[in-house]
Amino acid sequence: MTHSRLIGGKPKIGIRPIIDGRRGGIRESLEDMTMTMAHKVAELYSSSLRHSDGTPVECIIADTTIGGVAEAAMAAEKFRNNGVGVVLSVTPCWCYGFETIDMDGEMPKAIWGFNGTERPGAVYLASALAGHTQKGLPAFGIYGRDVQEIGNTEIPEDVQEKLVRFARAGLAVATMKGKSYLSIGSVSMGIAGSIPNPDFFQEYLGMRNEYVDASEIERRVQLGIYDHEEFDRAMAWTEKYCKSNEGKDFNPEHLVYSREEKDARWEYVVKMTLIFRDMMIGNPKLAEMGFKEEAMGHNAIAAGFQGQRQWTDFKPDGDFTEAILNSSFDWNGIREAFTFATENDTLNGTSMLFGHLLSNTAQIFADVRTYWSPKAVERVTGKKLEGKAANGFIHLINSGSCTLDGTGLQTRDGKPVMKPFWEISEEEVEACLAATKWYPASREYMRGGGYSSQFLTRGEMPVTMCRLNLVKGQGPVLQIAEGWAVNLDEDVFKAINERTDRTWPSTFFAPRLTGKGCFRDVYTVMNRWGANHGAIGYGHTGADLITLASMLRIPVCMHNVPEENIFRPSAWSAFGEDVEGSDYRACKNYGPLYK
């Protein structure tokens, strides 16, 4: 694909250098330092942040320092004309608070006030944040722990951490705005999350919902509405890397397809993959073929496929398609992973989208299926659990579909990771593919056949599981669990794997325990999880998820992130000392971002 994946420019970060407006000596003495702060932050952002497509993040700095309302309006106009989606104000000094703040109610905003004794940047910070709070415009406050010398232009590490956390979350907010979630098919087996809630998407994410009946898949297959040249290339790649790794058919003899029937299903699931991608983002090749409407796509930043049951009772399942789309590579090479939800679980798809935009990596979609206690493991296998699995684990397993990045066969410093696509090597792609078996789907579940990806995620890899849930009367809430994928003894894995479905991909997850609340033990984490699915991403990203949720006004009902890492708008402190309670009260008070 050579065209841009989604319609709309990538959001930029606007930087507002705020200054004391008094001329005749004060303002003039501060011009250089204030502008230097702005440029230093721009350098930090441009060097450390990328969009999910790999392009560096751009910053737009106001043309002048901002000492009053006229210059604030000039900066706002420049930002509007240059696609700014996130705003940061910086200052080393006292400024005129309400005259200089950013007044856009939908724009994520933060203020960095320099901690120095010569000039009261902290005083302006407190004054401006009070104005934001009084006007109902929540903003993040950034204030360094240690006093700096006035001539020190370096950004302290604690300030850098907050600056980057704010920007990552703000860019995610701005990137989602105006995009679509595409539902292919309808509700899967009564799963509530696969019932799209358009009010949630519109009011909390600024997104629209698009819907395509599953009959469109068969129409495009029968009428050849896909790139035939790409299909040939895709089939050659699939023959080499996937079909050659086809697993044993464990179906009862009367349900085993002939080789000819299996080959036909390989072709069909490859066509489904092309078609689903084209539905999401369009394909100019289709316009050349005379299908101009289909060529447009739905500008979908995320999507999901109903699959079970009406489709899978009749046609091949979506396991291969979902696994490949969610991976950082396919027959066209290494590229950004798509966000694509099994069973059209729109809420888990949204959770995956959050993780993808914050980390720029592929996300695992999985059933939160079984809690295994140390006692149960020893009873079934005769062996004791050790290491990070010693307190038990949760078996994460999807019904045949998972990003191949989830194998853990990408490495950094010799350790398993899931990388942004621009860091992945061809050797790592081949390792992920080699570690994945493709088993014929169980036709007792999937009567139309298909192929399930099967692998075991390498252990000792830090991961974060999250899940968005909708609560009647409350609205959306977010759950977060940081932990690790863990290795199991080979005999233990074999015994557990064969108790569920040996043809499906497995990740064994041990959350980090805190000894209290939902994280007092692994059982409680499993018992308190709000739905049957979870989104799992590489790294411990819970703090970023909490910051993002606060921007969207979504309270976090469960997490194991250290309190010192929680970063929310300063207004949250006005809603009580208890951090969880204040989060709920603040989110309820302000309501959804796009109400």
Side-chain angles (χ1 to χ4, degrees):
M1 308 294 291
T2 57
H3 68 298
S4 178
R5 181 177 284 189
L6 295 169
I7 300 165
K10 289 178 279 291
K12 300 179 179 67
I13 300 175
I15 301 179
R16 309 170 74 250
I18 312 297
I19 201 166
D20 190 324
R22 288 172 285 196
R23 302 275 183 178
I26 295 179
R27 176 166 181 161
E28 291 82 356
S29 69
L30 295 165
E31 287 281 358
D32 288 345
M33 182 181 182
T34 306
M35 269 298 183
T36 296
M37 285 182 71
H39 283 281
K40 282 287 185 179
V41 174
E43 290 171 10
L44 170 68
Y45 284 157
S46 298
S47 63
S48 62
L49 293 176
R50 293 200 196 191
H51 295 285
S52 60
D53 68 353
T55 56
V57 168
E58 293 183 54
C59 295
I60 303 295
I61 300 175
D63 290 333
T64 67
T65 53
I66 299 169
V69 67
E71 288 158 328
M74 290 164 58
E77 181 67 13
K78 181 177 183 179
F79 292 170
R80 274 192 296 271
N81 293 336
N82 285 274
V84 166
V86 188
V87 170
L88 171 75
S89 299
V90 300
T91 188
C93 60
W94 166 255
C95 315
Y96 299 162
F98 190 66
E99 294 182 24
T100 57
I101 67 172
D102 168 52
M103 296 287 287
D104 189 322
E106 294 182 355
M107 192 86 72
K109 51 182 61 59
I111 304 172
W112 172 29
F114 185 83
N115 184 0
T117 56
E118 292 89 344
R119 295 287 180 178
V123 179
Y124 170 74
L125 175 63
S127 173
L129 290 175
H132 278 284
T133 299
Q134 188 169 331
K135 296 296 291 182
L137 302 168
F140 291 79
I142 300 172
Y143 178 57
R145 180 173 292 274
D146 298 316
V147 170
Q148 286 182 260
E149 299 304 319
I150 195 71
N152 186 351
T153 61
E154 298 303 312
I155 304 175
E157 286 189 13
D158 63 322
V159 172
Q160 287 188 40
E161 183 179 352
K162 288 185 175 180
L163 287 169
V164 171
R165 178 158 293 142
F166 162 75
R168 265 198 300 259
L171 288 167
V173 170
T175 299
M176 289 186 286
K177 185 177 181 181
K179 308 302 190 303
S180 304
Y181 181 98
L182 173 63
S183 295
I184 302 172
S186 186
V187 179
S188 176
M189 301 185 296
I191 295 173
S194 71
I195 304 171
N197 186 312
D199 290 341
F200 162 71
F201 279 95
Q202 176 185 330
E203 295 177 3
Y204 283 90
L205 308 182
M207 291 172 57
R208 70 170 70 216
N209 292 82
E210 291 283 287
Y211 312 87
V212 175
D213 189 85
S215 62
E216 176 66 3
I217 305 166
E218 181 64 9
R219 184 182 80 92
R220 294 197 186 199
V221 169
Q222 288 196 23
L223 299 183
I225 308 176
Y226 54 86
D227 184 338
H228 291 253
E229 181 182 343
E230 184 183 1
F231 170 70
D232 291 340
R233 186 170 68 254
M235 274 309 304
W237 182 90
T238 302
E239 294 267 359
K240 180 178 180 180
Y241 292 110
C242 304
K243 192 174 176 181
S244 62
N245 217 6
E246 185 179 310
K248 180 180 177 181
D249 193 333
F250 292 110
N251 281 294
E253 187 175 347
H254 69 285
L255 293 179
V256 173
Y257 279 128
S258 68
R259 185 68 256 171
E260 182 180 9
E261 290 171 317
K262 289 180 178 178
D263 291 345
R265 276 153 183 79
W266 272 115
E267 293 188 1
Y268 199 97
V269 297
V270 170
K271 290 176 183 177
M272 284 174 63
T273 309
L274 300 179
I275 289 167
F276 283 8
R277 182 207 59 202
D278 291 350
M279 287 181 182
M280 288 183 70
I281 63 171
N283 187 344
K285 181 69 174 180
L286 302 185
E288 297 173 16
M289 297 166 60
F291 299 103
K292 293 184 178 181
E293 182 180 357
E294 292 85 348
M296 297 298 293
H298 292 267
N299 200 34
I301 196 172
F305 174 47
Q306 172 197 344
Q308 298 184 76
R309 281 188 50 206
Q310 288 76 17
W311 179 265
T312 55
D313 281 358
F314 178 54
K315 291 289 184 180
D317 63 31
D319 289 357
F320 175 85
T321 294
E322 292 160 8
I324 296 300
L325 288 176
N326 281 318
S327 298
S328 299
F329 47 84
D330 60 16
W331 41 83
N332 291 317
I334 300 169
R335 45 88 176 137
E336 179 185 357
F338 288 84
T339 297
F340 200 90
T342 299
E343 293 160 348
N344 193 33
D345 185 342
T346 65
L347 298 180
N348 213 55
T350 301
S351 305
M352 293 169 70
L353 181 60
F354 287 175
H356 176 62
L357 293 176
L358 289 172
S359 69
N360 294 333
T361 58
Q363 302 291 298
I364 294 170
F365 183 112
D367 281 4
V368 183
R369 183 161 293 242
T370 311
Y371 162 65
W372 280 92
S373 67
K375 181 179 179 180
V377 170
E378 188 171 3
R379 174 178 58 80
V380 170
T381 69
K383 298 193 175 185
K384 291 183 180 293
L385 294 175
E386 298 177 345
K388 287 186 168 63
N391 294 309
F393 57 84
I394 298 171
H395 189 185
L396 305 175
I397 181 170
N398 195 14
S399 51
S401 166
C402 184
T403 171
L404 274 57
D405 299 55
T407 58
L409 267 295
Q410 300 160 20
T411 60
R412 186 181 294 124
D413 300 325
K415 297 178 181 179
V417 298
M418 295 167 67
K419 295 179 178 179
F421 75 90
W422 57 86
E423 296 180 8
I424 299 172
S425 68
E426 292 289 350
E427 292 76 16
E428 289 170 326
V429 169
E430 295 199 4
C432 293
L433 288 162
T436 307
K437 282 278 191 185
W438 297 93
Y439 286 95
S442 170
R443 293 194 58 215
E444 292 173 328
Y445 285 111
M446 314 291 185
R447 298 172 186 173
Y451 292 93
S452 299
S453 61
Q454 191 276 330
F455 59 78
L456 171 63
T457 300
R458 289 177 69 194
E460 303 304 304
M461 183 164 67
V463 294
T464 300
M465 180 167 73
C466 73
R467 168 71 191 193
L468 186 75
N469 296 302
L470 293 181
V471 180
K472 181 70 173 178
Q474 168 63 45
V477 297
L478 186 66
Q479 297 177 294
I480 301 166
E482 294 184 338
W484 296 267
V486 295
N487 291 316
L488 298 182
D489 177 279
E490 187 174 341
D491 293 336
V492 174
F493 167 69
K494 187 173 186 295
I496 291 173
N497 192 50
E498 292 186 355
R499 290 174 72 99
T500 303
D501 194 309
R502 53 192 155 179
T503 70
W504 294 348
S506 287
T507 304
F508 297 105
F509 173 62
R512 185 178 62 245
L513 301 179
T514 64
K516 60 183 180 180
C518 295
F519 291 89
R520 60 180 174 267
D521 53 36
V522 181
Y523 168 79
T524 305
V525 176
M526 172 77 180
N527 197 40
R528 295 285 184 89
W529 204 250
N532 54 310
H533 293 148
I536 300 90
Y538 175 74
H540 289 159
T541 58
D544 288 344
L545 284 163
I546 288 173
T547 296
L548 172 62
S550 68
M551 289 181 180
L552 298 171
R553 318 291 190 255
I554 297 173
V556 177
C557 62
M558 168 181 168
H559 73 83
N560 58 348
V561 176
E563 187 171 331
E564 60 269 22
N565 293 340
I566 296 174
F567 188 38
R568 291 180 170 125
S570 65
W572 265 234
S573 63
F575 291 87
E577 187 175 351
D578 169 51
V579 291
E580 182 177 78
S582 65
D583 183 33
Y584 270 83
R585 288 186 286 273
C587 290
K588 180 66 78 172
N589 179 70
Y590 292 113
L593 183 58
Y594 304 105
K595 62 183 179 220

